[in-house]
Amino acid sequence: MNFKIAVLPGDGIGPEISLWGVKAMEAVCRRFGHQATFQEALCGAAAIDQVGDPFPKETLELCQASDAVLFSAVGDPKYDQNPDAKVRPEQGLLAMRKQLGLFANIRPVQTFPSLLHHSPLKPELVKDADFVCIRELTGGMYFGEKYQDEEKAYDTNLYHRNEVERILKVAFEYARRRKGHLTVVDKANVLASSRLWRKVAKEMALQNPDVQTDFMYVDNAAMRMIQDPRFFDVMVTENTFGDILTDEGSVISGSMGLLPSASIGTGTPVFEPIHGSWPQAAGKNLANPLAQILSVAMLFEHFGCTEEGNAIRKAVNASLDANVRTPEIQVENAPHYGTREVGAWITEYLQK
Ligand code: IPM
Ligand code: MG
């Protein structure tokens, strides 16, 4: 294939990990006879600083003209500490999701055999945990009407039936391809929006009898995820709940730096780590490049290149087995490796 990739490194550790996503992709392309061209564009705080807009028009146009976007992270403390800031780096990410119509965010939560002891949960509990969270990405409180003055503020958790139907459709398809178990996560005991989700999901469950569908309140799901993560196969939920639950999910794996995601919908798909920009670590060669590299595996798989995706997963597992790991998951008394060393090791492994 001939891939045209838009690269959006963004802020903080973004540029450091982005580099290794690109290098891993180049190595796989060389090995499997694909071509890829990469073009970088501005996004997030970097874009605000340079052009005053966290998702400039040129960036949108590049994304639209590409086959896929390799995104890294956005966010900068100088905006977090200013509640009155008019533009925020995160708006760049949200604008990208909305403008590219990326309503489904696929976030696989997996464990790595060599990292079982690294999870804060008991190894026997997380062993073989393997589920996918399908997070709705362009609706809910993130995009509903907002208001703020000195005395009151609100965010509207608005969902239309068609938005619920299309995300559930993706979820049923995923469940069918996996173990056939779908858990719809909501707060239908309190929220009207959740009651609509549940109503639509019940109707669709009747049309998908081959999938075992169950329902769980989000507070209960948060508990179940760390008590018995193997219960889950595919879970589907609204934007805000999905954001929260997937950070929790990353803990099961042992590090936030391990989990990739794919955002799909009507426009160019985006592949990105679930973690943020970790500004404190920027430029320190500390960030784990694995989530970014695994995002490239998801990219290949999205285009039907299963073997290519597997090659990346194999290289990542090999690096973990060889203890070529960034500090947050390194074993005691093992050598120190940073972003560059881990990235270079994996790139070299992929070329073999
Ligand atoms: C994520 C992030 C984003 C989100 C932020 C950076 C806006 O936390 O992708 O999970 O809340 O969606
Ligand atoms: Mg998040």
Side-chain angles (χ1 to χ4, degrees), residues 31-49:
R31 183 162 141 200
F32 289 85
H34 300 298
Q35 262 80 50
T37 52
F38 300 91
Q39 204 174 328
E40 270 194 29
L42 287 172
C43 185
I48 301 178
D49 293 346

Side-chain angles (χ1 to χ4, degrees), residues 17-31:
I17 57 167
S18 172
L19 174 73
W20 296 107
V22 170
K23 288 212 181 280
M25 180 145 184
E26 282 174 338
V28 172
C29 285
R30 266 196 298 279
R31 183 162 141 200

Side-chain angles (χ1 to χ4, degrees), residues 74 90 93-94 97 107 135 137 142 243 247 272 274:
V74 291
E90 288 78 4
L93 177 57
L94 303 186
R97 291 170 177 171
R107 296 192 160 182
R135 169 187 175 194
L137 205 57
Y142 276 64
D243 176 47
D247 264 31
E272 55 172 310
I274 79 150

